[in-house]
Amino acid sequence: GSVPLQGFLDFATDSLFVFPTLEFARALSQGPNGTNVYLYLFDHMPEPQQPEITGTGHGMEVIYEFDFLVKDSEDGLKDLFRTPLTQFAKTGNPTNPLRLNQTWPLYEPRNEYFLRLSLTPNVSQHLYEKRVVLWTEFVSKKSDSPCDSGRDWWRF
């Protein structure tokens, strides 16, 4: 049979972006230098959207950062994306002056907070938790290298 498109996209996204990003965020946040880590998920699909695909493709947020073909109804998202990036570049903290009634918490491995950037932004925990467990609990254990975090998933 054929592989459902969404399942294939989720698999590719997890192996290429989600799992490596979370591994890096965990390592950086637990490092000896006490690096502050802030994680976000850009979770808005501009129209037109294919109904059989959910989620946003890699790099989709660039159109909001540089104002490419952004609809008037998405101006709030454009500002929400740009403001914290600018603030982070200036101060190392994206929270102030976010136009939210909440702050953007630090990512840390215990709670794994991240900001879900969309037309209705919110702070969430454990990015794609069930999907990530596949990589952390199954695939990485199939690797024969103790240093490998599962990125060589094709070897099992």
Side-chain angles (χ1 to χ4, degrees), residues 2 20 27-28 33-34 47-48 50 52-53 58 62 66 72 78 80 87 89 104 109 118 121 127 144-145 150 153:
S2 65
L28 195 58
N33 297 329
E47 294 193 24
Q50 294 177 317
E52 70 273 9
I53 298 175
H58 175 65
V62 171
F66 296 108
D72 290 343
K78 175 181 67 178
L80 179 68
Q87 186 66 19
W104 185 341
S118 67
L127 180 65
D144 47 2
S145 167
W153 49 266

Side-chain angles (χ1 to χ4, degrees), residues 14-105:
D14 293 348
S15 63
L16 297 172
F17 301 107
V18 175
F19 184 67
T21 298
L22 289 174
E23 286 264 293
F24 183 68
R26 286 180 189 134
L28 195 58
S29 67
Q30 294 176 325
N33 297 329
T35 301
N36 291 338
V37 177
Y38 297 90
L39 191 66
Y40 75 89
L41 172 68
F42 190 83
D43 196 23
H44 173 70
M45 177 70 96
E47 294 193 24
Q49 174 181 335
Q50 294 177 317
E52 70 273 9
I53 298 175
T54 61
T56 303
H58 175 65
M60 188 68 73
E61 67 270 26
V62 171
I63 67 173
Y64 298 92
E65 185 175 354
F66 296 108
D67 205 7
F68 295 131
L69 307 171
V70 176
K71 295 181 179 182
D72 290 343
S73 62
E74 299 173 321
D75 275 346
L77 182 59
K78 175 181 67 178
D79 293 338
L80 179 68
F81 185 68
R82 282 184 190 169
T83 301
L85 288 182
T86 302
Q87 186 66 19
F88 181 76
K90 288 179 183 178
T91 68
N93 184 337
T95 297
N96 189 8
L98 271 181
R99 295 180 189 157
L100 299 174
N101 293 330
Q102 56 200 0
T103 61
W104 185 341

Side-chain angles (χ1 to χ4, degrees), residues 57 89 129 140:
E129 183 174 22
S140 65

Side-chain angles (χ1 to χ4, degrees), residues 93-156:
N93 184 337
T95 297
N96 189 8
L98 271 181
R99 295 180 189 157
L100 299 174
N101 293 330
Q102 56 200 0
T103 61
W104 185 341
L106 283 170
Y107 173 88
E108 48 85 30
R110 185 176 32 134
N111 293 317
E112 296 186 332
Y113 290 117
F114 68 97
L115 183 62
R116 184 179 302 271
L117 293 170
S118 67
L119 293 175
T120 56
N122 63 69
V123 172
S124 298
Q125 288 180 270
H126 308 291
L127 180 65
Y128 298 127
E129 183 174 22
K130 290 180 182 178
R131 289 167 35 187
V132 169
V133 167
L134 170 70
W135 298 99
T136 58
E137 300 299 320
F138 178 71
V139 176
S140 65
K141 287 182 175 51
K142 292 292 185 182
S143 171
D144 47 2
S145 167
C147 299
D148 185 8
S149 300
R151 286 187 221 12
D152 293 341
W153 49 266
W154 56 84
R155 295 191 299 156
F156 65 90

